[in-house]
Amino acid sequence: MSEPSSGPAAEVLISEVGPRDGLQSVARTMPTADKCAWIDALHVAGLREIEVGSFVSPKLLPQLADTAEVVRHARTLPGLTVMALVPNRKGAEAALEAGVHKLTLPLSASIAHSLANVRRTHEQMLDEIRAIAALRRERAPQVKFEVGMSTAFGCTLQGAVAEDDVIRLAVAAIGAGADELGLSDTTGMANPAQVRRLFRRLRATLGHHAGAAHLHNTRGLGLANCLAAFDVGVSTFDASQGGLGGCPYAPGASGNVVTEDLVFMFEAMGVRTGVNLERLIAARAALAQGLPGEPLYGMVPEAGLPKGFESSGAMRHD
Amino acid sequence: MSEPSSGPAAEVLISEVGPRDGLQSVARTMPTADKCAWIDALHVAGLREIEVGSFVSPKLLPQLADTAEVVRHARTLPGLTVMALVPNRKGAEAALEAGVHKLTLPLSASIAHSLANVRRTHEQMLDEIRAIAALRRERAPQVKFEVGMSTAFGCTLQGAVAEDDVIRLAVAAIGAGADELGLSDTTGMANPAQVRRLFRRLRATLGHHAGAAHLHNTRGLGLANCLAAFDVGVSTFDASQGGLGGCPYAPGASGNVVTEDLVFMFEAMGVRTGVNLERLIAARAALAQGLPGEPLYGMVPEAGLPKGFESSGAMRHD
């Protein structure tokens, strides 16, 4: 396989996961119209990939029961890659039916987490990947299929996760038919040295099949870990507006990296995100509209942009 | 001048600035006995450099009026470098009298900030440095003399600060007799690309006279900026327990990097700090004792240490 560049990228893709990862962690259900208005606001801010929902059983996640409807709306937004999570082949079928541009399937590096979370072994999950890849080939070959490896940097159940196991499972997932494999710090255990080591190895092994960094801010290292991944050539980063998806400052938080802060870091460094920060901060109002009273996080929205700051997104979109 | 290593260090020095930078930002005065107990707890946790106060006029900072007494206590702690801020020659005289091991003088890169903050031009400040260097040579040649360049990464008054000006002023400060020159992101405007660029240049220019990184978390980039400085060879980092020194999550905050989170990042990376994280977290109680009700920050103290985490400080001190 071809080895991608190991140096930092000149531009990055910020993949907004709030409408899925964020909303599934909130007890209340955001009304469908509000979800669509929020996604519109994110799109207006310049985001070009949004995970809009999840095709899981509505019994498990009633908050995301309207995902098909949200997908149909999001598809009308020009230039947007509409992504949805699918837990298995059945979910993938529904997602393709609704018209997503990209599927993402979670695969736990930790066996303990895989059994606890989806009650499946790695072999069973690889079978699922093969089934989804076959379905996609047959019904919608243009749709992208990503696997996100959760607990890749450690697991609260199992403790440390061996890097060799992560790489072996990553190779198997690509072999089973996924297009891209990303790594997730599900439990906020990653550190920058580990992030560099593991993504460097993933990219050397998988070439252009190496995917996104999904990093958490549970222990405050979210942006440092994103910087570490960026340094070794990662160019797609998951993030959640307002850190939605559990309070990033509380124990047990999912603690997604805050989109606003991540965009600020890259733009301040001169790395283009295509996102207009003023509009991104404005999109918080649309989120708050749909979930009144829900705490939103982010240091940049609180501190404001520094004097003289110019968002590259602003220059390109205004 | 000799050029220091440009690669990352195997161990770093965490310089705790809370008792000076933190306490001067709090309206209330911590009783002297509580300050000493807090410093004791920080020392027990393994911190080996603490900025314990400031020799400024007690009219300006009544919170730090007892600095001489605190210095005398801190000097009894084995292996501790007792540091104090001095604004001028007069302060340096009092600091040497009290018996500090290290003096630190703030010097604004921004002329606007220098005039607003200490009502002095750069030339006047360089005269002050020359006077302090002469005094030190005469009275206490073993005492170290550091200059911390504030607003080195930008200024809320003046906006951008030219990197050439920072380097020129740094060279002048060392020429005037300071031992070390560090760079401070006083206003939380730094980004990792800039931190790498400026510290790389500082170290190439000043050699072993290049000093500490004093970075803020105003916009959430504190740890990412520390990582960036570490990457280019910086090995001394200022931080404040509990982020004391203004709420790091609020506008206008001083937003010091939280010592607990910074120590966690380095220890997780396998970079030795000599600090025992459990004991460092325990030291928060001593701080809270002296300032009841004062909000303390830090993601690691809230989330807890991850399963299987081993602090190198713990291994070396237990």
Side-chain angles (χ1 to χ4, degrees):
Chain A
M1 294 181 209
S2 67
E3 181 166 345
S5 157
S6 61
E11 59 184 26
V12 294
L13 177 69
I14 306 295
S15 182
E16 170 64 44
V17 302
R20 192 279 301 171
D21 196 345
L23 293 183
Q24 79 170 46
S25 314
V26 175
R28 288 177 293 162
T29 298
M30 189 190 273
T32 308
D34 289 326
K35 285 188 192 178
C36 294
W38 179 29
I39 290 166
D40 288 354
L42 292 168
H43 177 260
V44 165
L47 286 158
R48 288 298 172 260
E49 182 169 290
I50 305 182
E51 196 173 329
V52 301
S54 181
F55 287 92
V56 290
S57 157
K59 277 180 212 147
L60 280 177
L61 287 177
Q63 304 97 312
L64 304 181
D66 59 357
T67 295
E69 201 178 334
V70 176
V71 167
R72 282 191 291 273
H73 171 79
R75 274 176 52 87
T76 65
L77 299 173
L80 182 67
T81 298
V82 179
M83 179 152 66
L85 184 142
V86 298
N88 49 34
R89 187 191 187 284
K90 197 181 153 208
E93 212 156 339
L96 293 181
E97 182 117 347
V100 301
H101 301 123
K102 190 168 176 180
L103 302 168
T104 181
L105 178 95
L107 169 68
S108 271
S110 149
I111 291 276
H113 184 258
S114 188
L115 291 173
N117 201 37
V118 293
R119 292 178 205 184
R120 295 223 169 102
T121 63
H122 285 161
E123 236 355 283
Q124 289 172 317
M125 286 306 291
L126 290 169
D127 284 344
E128 215 65 61
I129 293 172
R130 276 183 279 269
I132 294 171
L135 180 78
R136 185 265 307 255
R137 202 158 43 235
E138 180 192 311
R139 300 226 189 136
Q142 78 289 356
V143 167
K144 284 198 184 145
F145 176 24
E146 173 197 81
V147 169
M149 196 185 295
S150 46
T151 66
F153 299 91
C155 171
T156 41
L157 299 169
Q158 153 176 343
V161 171
E163 293 182 6
D164 284 353
D165 292 347
V166 169
I167 297 299
R168 200 177 303 119
L169 189 58
V171 169
I174 296 300
D179 299 327
E180 279 186 9
L181 186 127
L183 300 179
S184 300
D185 181 25
T186 315
T187 54
M189 292 170 78
N191 70 72
Q194 181 190 23
V195 167
R196 279 187 189 139
R197 210 164 50 228
L198 204 47
F199 268 109
R200 200 179 270 135
R201 200 167 154 194
L202 186 80
R203 292 169 64 78
T205 309
L206 297 189
H208 66 277
H209 297 291
H214 179 105
L215 299 164
H216 280 201
N217 200 36
T218 316
R219 292 183 175 84
L221 272 60
L223 292 188
N225 284 335
C226 286
L227 176 67
F230 172 77
D231 286 339
V232 297
V234 173
S235 61
T236 302
F237 297 85
D238 291 357
S240 175
Q241 176 148 57
L244 199 72
C247 164
Y249 307 128
S254 100
N256 281 308
V257 163
V258 175
T259 312
E260 295 88 322
D261 293 349
L262 182 64
V263 167
F264 173 74
M265 180 174 84
F266 282 127
E267 291 288 332
M269 290 172 72
V271 178
R272 291 186 306 277
T273 63
V275 178
N276 178 312
L277 256 172
E278 292 81 358
R279 288 183 186 167
L280 181 62
I281 291 169
R284 288 164 74 94
L287 165 52
Q289 171 83 21
L291 283 177
E294 188 67 28
L296 296 186
Y297 302 95
M299 306 285 284
V300 171
E302 289 206 36
L305 297 173
K307 184 170 176 176
F309 179 81
E310 278 180 19
S311 167
S312 75
M315 289 188 285
R316 287 187 295 155
H317 289 278
D318 283 343
Chain B
M1 293 179 209
S2 67
E3 182 166 343
S5 157
S6 61
E11 59 184 25
V12 293
L13 176 69
I14 307 295
S15 182
E16 170 64 44
V17 302
R20 192 279 302 171
D21 196 344
L23 294 183
Q24 79 170 47
S25 313
V26 175
R28 287 178 294 162
T29 297
M30 189 190 271
T32 307
D34 289 326
K35 284 187 193 179
C36 294
W38 180 30
I39 290 167
D40 288 353
L42 292 167
H43 177 260
V44 165
L47 286 158
R48 288 297 172 261
E49 182 169 291
I50 304 182
E51 196 172 329
V52 301
S54 182
F55 288 92
V56 290
S57 157
K59 278 181 212 146
L60 280 177
L61 287 177
Q63 305 97 312
L64 304 181
D66 59 358
T67 295
E69 201 178 334
V70 176
V71 167
R72 281 191 292 271
H73 172 79
R75 274 175 54 88
T76 65
L77 299 173
L80 182 67
T81 299
V82 180
M83 178 152 66
L85 185 143
V86 298
N88 49 34
R89 188 191 186 284
K90 198 181 152 205
E93 212 157 338
L96 294 181
E97 182 117 348
V100 301
H101 302 122
K102 191 168 175 180
L103 302 167
T104 180
L105 177 95
L107 168 68
S108 272
S110 149
I111 291 277
H113 184 258
S114 189
L115 291 173
N117 200 37
V118 292
R119 293 180 203 181
R120 295 222 169 103
T121 63
H122 285 162
E123 234 358 281
Q124 289 171 317
M125 286 306 291
L126 290 169
D127 284 343
E128 216 65 61
I129 293 172
R130 275 183 281 268
I132 293 171
L135 179 77
R136 185 265 307 253
R137 201 160 42 235
E138 182 192 311
R139 301 226 188 134
Q142 77 288 359
V143 167
K144 283 198 184 147
F145 176 23
E146 174 197 81
V147 169
M149 196 185 296
S150 47
T151 67
F153 299 91
C155 171
T156 42
L157 298 169
Q158 147 176 348
V161 171
E163 293 181 6
D164 284 353
D165 292 347
V166 170
I167 298 298
R168 201 177 303 120
L169 190 57
V171 169
I174 296 300
D179 300 325
E180 279 186 9
L181 186 127
L183 300 179
S184 301
D185 181 24
T186 315
T187 54
M189 292 170 79
N191 69 72
Q194 181 190 22
V195 167
R196 278 185 189 141
R197 210 164 51 229
L198 204 46
F199 268 108
R200 201 179 269 135
R201 200 167 153 194
L202 186 79
R203 293 170 62 77
T205 309
L206 296 189
H208 66 276
H209 297 292
H214 179 103
L215 300 163
H216 280 201
N217 199 35
T218 317
R219 292 182 176 85
L221 272 60
L223 293 188
N225 284 335
C226 287
L227 176 67
F230 171 77
D231 286 339
V232 297
V234 173
S235 62
T236 302
F237 296 85
D238 291 357
S240 174
Q241 176 148 56
L244 200 72
C247 164
Y249 306 129
S254 100
N256 281 310
V257 164
V258 174
T259 312
E260 295 88 323
D261 293 351
L262 183 63
V263 167
F264 173 74
M265 180 173 83
F266 282 127
E267 290 288 331
M269 290 172 72
V271 177
R272 291 186 306 277
T273 62
V275 179
N276 178 310
L277 256 172
E278 291 82 358
R279 289 184 186 167
L280 181 62
I281 291 170
R284 289 163 74 93
L287 165 53
Q289 170 83 19
L291 283 177
E294 189 68 28
L296 296 187
Y297 301 95
M299 306 284 284
V300 171
E302 290 207 34
L305 296 174
K307 185 171 176 174
F309 179 81
E310 280 180 18
S311 167
S312 76
M315 289 188 286
R316 287 188 296 156
H317 289 279
D318 283 343

